[in-house]
């Protein structure tokens, strides 16, 4: 019998495995392989896991101790709502925390949307974040569940809340995945630290107001609203069932179910759209080149020549460079938070409004560091002291476009909150003098103590070996600025001591004139230093 006549034997079929178990194993494999990359990464994961378990254990213990307390439902409902909000927001600020959040990696695979959503939903339950959330949800139902009805609703509330949080996170990440992978997404990651810092200040302020209002009972109105929000309604249903309000409990549970179905539908819709529509970058590449228009928008309002060009470049740094943008947003936020929050607490002083001028004045420091190695192109255009002066003056003018109106706005808002309009002129004058002093010192420090700003790493703002230069530049300038503004400060003190309160309005023009003069003098001093130290500046700012 020939080979051709031999019977054909079919190869054994591969075992059919569902997509959901496959994605679960894939998630575990990605996690295991990631830990094998380096011992440092493994140590960081273990430390994070241990810390999470400790926090979760403390959270569960605290929630269990709330069992039977009259305010247990209020605390648990609001806490669950905050956790759900965190699941919605964190993917926007930490898009690189989980590579599986990017569904574009699955574009080329022949997968149906329904099965893909189901598999991603289940596999997303694996991780430190879901573990912490599960512990919190379990502690919440333990604090609220009483009786058979409470236990039954608790059994339903735990998986529904977990699924809702994960689906919410996935839907938000999928809808914004192209944004998160773009430059704007990286900007969000850089600004995440600022958001956390500002959030902590508001939490601190809220805690103080809560203590003044008489305890947890002040939170009940907010909890009454949160009980009907999808993130907390399932947990609120447990509390309602334990109290015998079965109709309310069913309605609150249905709110979570409807929200979960809607989120899954929106997630699937965005997933199909993402995996079938072309990327915006390909569309932009296919568009015909548009002719460059003339000076339009803000650029049309700027002066001609080198001054306008440098101002436009500085403004583009603020709008496009993540590090520069983060520094500006931090200064704007902190400069307003310090005086306004203190004013809201009733313990602030109108002089705290000068903090706004101080924070924004610091943006004049290390002007050449934000150029990094590209400073060589700027250096080629500086051939004299005059060129250096125009360069520094234009950078200062670009900064003043924001700092002057912002300083006036913070001063006026703080005066309105404190009701001290009579002290507004002196605070404005002091702010103008302080701002001019910081511009002058910042220009000199930029020429004398330049340092590089590394582009990699969201929280790395000084190149190795240049920390001393940064401290000298910033800390020395912060201490020297009030001394340089001393004449205006002395004038204000003398008018108070001499009981010439009616003449305090003179501090406004005096501070403005003095600020302009000292700023001009600082630029004049910094210009020759910049022109003569171009090689040293270029070497310093190119180290990152």
């Amino acid at each position: 019998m020939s080979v051709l006549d031999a019977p054909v034997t079919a190869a054994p079929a591969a075992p059919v495995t569902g997509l959901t178990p496959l994605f679960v194993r894939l998630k575990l494999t990605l996690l295991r392989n990631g830990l094998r990359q380096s011992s440092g990464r493994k140590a960081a994961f273990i430390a994070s896991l241990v810390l999470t378990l400790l926090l979760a254990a403390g959270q569960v213990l605290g929630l269990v101790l709330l069992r039977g307390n009259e305010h247990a439902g209020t605390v648990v409902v609001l806490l669950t709502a905050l956790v759900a909000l965190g699941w919605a927001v964190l993917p926007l600020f930490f898009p690189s925390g989980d590579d599986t959040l990017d569904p574009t990696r699955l574009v080329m695979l022949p997968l149906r949307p329904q099965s893909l959503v189901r598999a991603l939903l289940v596999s997303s339950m694996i991780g430190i974040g879901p573990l912490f959330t599960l512990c919190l949800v379990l502690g919440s139902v333990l604090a609220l569940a009483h009786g058979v009805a409470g236990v039954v609703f608790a059994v339903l509330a735990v998986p529904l809340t977990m699924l809702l949080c994960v689906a919410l996170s996935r839907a938000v990440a999928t809808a914004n995945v192209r944004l998160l992978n773009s430059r704007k997404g990286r900007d969000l990651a850089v600004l995440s630290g600022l958001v956390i810092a500002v959030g902590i200040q508001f939490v601190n302020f809220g805690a103080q107001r809560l203590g003044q209002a008489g305890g947890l009972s002040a939170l009940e109105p907010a909890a009454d609203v949160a009980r009907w929000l999808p993130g907390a309604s399932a947990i609120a249903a447990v509390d309602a069932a334990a109290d015998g309000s079965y109709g309310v409990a069913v309605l609150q549970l249905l709110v979570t179910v409807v929200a979960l179905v809607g989120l899954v539908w929106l997630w699937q819709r965005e997933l199909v759209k993402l995996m079938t529509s072309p990327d915006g970058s390909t569309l932009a590449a296919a568009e015909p080149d548009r002719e460059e228009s003339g000076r339009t928008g803000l650029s049309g309002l700027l002066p001609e020549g080198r001054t306008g060009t440098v101002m436009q470049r500085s403004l583009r740094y603020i709008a496009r460079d993540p590090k520069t943008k983060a520094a500006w947003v931090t200064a704007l936020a902190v400069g307003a938070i310090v005086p306004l929050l203190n004013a809201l607490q009733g313990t602030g002083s109108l002089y705290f409004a000068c903090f706004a001028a101080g924070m924004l004045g610091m943006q004049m420091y290390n002007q050449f560091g934000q150029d990094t190695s590209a400073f060589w192109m700027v250096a080629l255009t500086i051939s004299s002291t005059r060129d250096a002066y125009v360069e520094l003056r234009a950078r200062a003018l670009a900064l003043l476009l924001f700092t002057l109106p912002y300083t006036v706005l913070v001063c006026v808002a703080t005066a309105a909150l404190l009701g001290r309009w009579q002290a507004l002129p002196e605070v404005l004058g002091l702010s103008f003098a302080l701002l001019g002093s910081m511009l002058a010192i910042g220009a000199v420090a930029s020429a004398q103590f330049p340092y590089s700003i590394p582009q990699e790493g969201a929280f790395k703002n000084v190149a190795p070996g240049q920390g001393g230069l940064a401290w000298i530049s910033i800390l020395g300038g912060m201490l020297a600025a009030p001394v340089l503004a001393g004449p205006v400060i002395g004038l204000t003190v003398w008018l108070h001591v001499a009981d010439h309160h009616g003449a305090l309005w003179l501090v406004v023009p005096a501070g403005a004139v003095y600020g302009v003069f000292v700023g001009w003098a600082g630029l004049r001093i910094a210009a020759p230093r910049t022109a003569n130290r171009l090689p040293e500046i270029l070497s310093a700012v190119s180290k990152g």
Side-chain angles (χ1 to χ4, degrees):
M1 184 176 60
S2 64
V3 177
L4 296 176
D5 297 329
V8 179
T9 304
V16 179
T17 305
L19 190 61
T20 300
L22 179 63
F23 268 59
V24 171
R25 291 200 303 272
L26 178 61
K27 183 67 177 285
L28 294 173
T29 302
L30 290 173
L31 181 61
R32 182 175 63 252
N33 292 342
L35 297 178
R36 288 176 178 175
Q37 290 182 1
S38 65
S39 57
R41 186 167 183 173
K42 183 183 296 184
F45 177 81
I46 294 175
S48 301
L49 181 60
V50 172
L51 180 61
T52 300
L53 290 176
L54 291 176
L55 290 176
Q59 194 88 313
V60 171
L61 179 61
L63 290 171
V64 171
L65 292 177
L66 278 176
R67 185 178 176 86
N69 188 285
E70 59 177 337
H71 300 297
T74 300
V75 174
V76 167
V77 167
L78 289 177
L79 185 61
T80 308
L82 286 176
V83 171
L85 179 63
W87 274 91
V89 173
L90 286 180
L92 297 177
F93 294 119
F94 300 98
S96 60
D98 186 359
D99 291 337
T100 62
L101 285 175
D102 187 0
T104 58
R105 299 172 181 266
L106 309 173
V107 169
M108 302 304 294
L109 300 179
L111 301 175
R112 294 184 179 276
Q114 295 85 353
S115 57
L116 180 59
V117 166
R118 185 168 56 250
L120 287 173
L121 184 61
V122 175
S123 61
S124 298
M125 297 289 181
I126 302 172
I128 295 179
L131 176 62
F132 178 80
T133 305
L134 178 61
C135 294
L136 187 142
V137 173
L138 288 174
S140 299
V141 297
L142 288 176
L144 299 179
H146 296 279
V148 177
V151 172
V152 170
F153 275 85
V155 171
L156 298 174
V158 171
L160 283 175
T161 303
M162 289 295 301
L163 290 172
L164 180 73
C165 289
V166 173
L168 180 60
S169 175
R170 283 289 184 173
V172 171
T174 302
N176 297 278
V177 65
R178 285 176 177 164
L179 168 65
L180 299 178
N181 290 332
S182 64
R183 187 188 72 243
K184 293 182 179 180
R186 292 190 293 271
D187 292 349
L188 286 174
V190 171
L191 298 177
S192 60
L194 169 65
V195 174
I196 294 173
V198 173
I200 291 174
Q201 294 297 323
F202 279 103
V203 169
N204 180 40
F205 173 68
Q208 293 180 2
R209 299 288 291 181
L210 183 62
Q212 298 172 1
L216 296 175
S217 58
L219 295 176
E220 290 182 359
D224 291 339
V225 176
R227 290 176 188 275
W228 296 98
L229 298 179
S233 60
I235 300 299
V238 179
D239 190 27
D243 292 339
S245 302
Y246 303 120
V248 174
V250 171
L251 289 176
Q252 289 174 335
L253 202 63
L254 284 176
V255 169
T256 300
V257 173
V258 172
L260 178 59
V261 173
L263 280 173
V264 171
W265 179 80
L266 288 174
W267 178 17
Q268 179 177 322
R269 181 172 174 269
E270 290 294 328
L271 196 61
V272 172
K273 180 181 178 182
L274 178 69
M275 300 179 75
T276 57
S277 61
D279 194 354
S281 60
T282 60
L283 293 176
E287 292 179 355
D289 295 335
R290 290 176 293 183
E291 296 182 0
E292 291 291 334
S293 59
R295 289 166 57 87
T296 58
L298 181 59
S299 62
L301 303 176
L302 300 178
E304 298 283 349
R306 181 183 185 123
T307 299
T309 302
V310 175
M311 291 180 67
Q312 190 170 3
R313 184 214 308 149
S314 298
L315 296 175
R316 283 180 176 174
Y317 275 145
I318 298 172
R320 297 182 181 181
D321 180 61
K323 291 294 183 67
T324 306
K325 183 185 296 185
W328 270 91
V329 174
T330 301
L332 290 169
V334 177
I337 287 174
V338 171
L340 296 181
L341 279 186
N342 280 280
L344 286 172
Q345 295 178 39
T347 58
S349 169
L350 184 56
Y351 293 103
F352 282 171
C354 296
F355 203 79
M359 289 298 299
L360 291 186
M362 289 177 61
Q363 304 311 308
M364 187 65 188
Y365 291 67
N366 195 34
Q367 275 293 304
F368 306 125
Q370 64 185 1
D371 298 338
T372 61
S373 59
F375 177 70
W376 71 269
M377 292 187 289
V378 178
L380 289 176
T381 65
I382 300 177
S383 58
S384 64
T385 300
R386 173 65 182 175
D387 292 337
Y389 171 74
V390 175
E391 175 77 23
L392 289 169
R393 184 187 63 184
R395 293 180 183 235
L397 290 175
L399 187 144
L400 288 173
L401 288 178
F402 293 97
T403 54
L404 279 179
Y406 178 80
T407 299
V408 173
L409 179 62
V410 172
C411 290
V412 171
T414 307
L417 290 175
L418 293 175
R420 295 193 56 196
W421 294 103
Q422 72 280 1
L424 179 60
E426 58 185 284
V427 173
L428 280 174
L430 290 173
S431 297
F432 293 154
L434 179 63
L435 182 58
S437 301
M438 297 203 73
L439 290 179
I441 298 174
V444 176
S446 296
Q448 195 67 35
F449 305 108
Y451 57 90
S452 177
I453 302 177
Q455 294 301 301
E456 75 280 358
F459 306 102
K460 186 179 180 182
N461 295 315
V462 182
Q466 294 185 328
L469 287 174
W471 278 107
I472 292 174
S473 175
I474 298 175
L475 186 61
M478 291 175 63
L479 296 177
V483 177
L484 194 58
V488 179
I489 297 176
L491 173 63
T492 306
V493 173
W494 178 78
L495 289 174
H496 276 284
V497 172
D499 201 20
H500 296 310
H501 298 285
L504 282 171
W505 64 270
L506 293 173
V507 179
V508 175
V513 172
Y514 182 80
V516 171
F517 169 76
V518 75
W520 169 83
L523 294 176
R524 284 294 184 184
I525 295 173
R529 295 173 182 267
T530 301
N532 296 331
R533 300 187 73 250
L534 284 178
E536 292 87 346
I537 296 174
L538 180 59
S539 175
V541 302
S542 301
K543 288 185 177 180

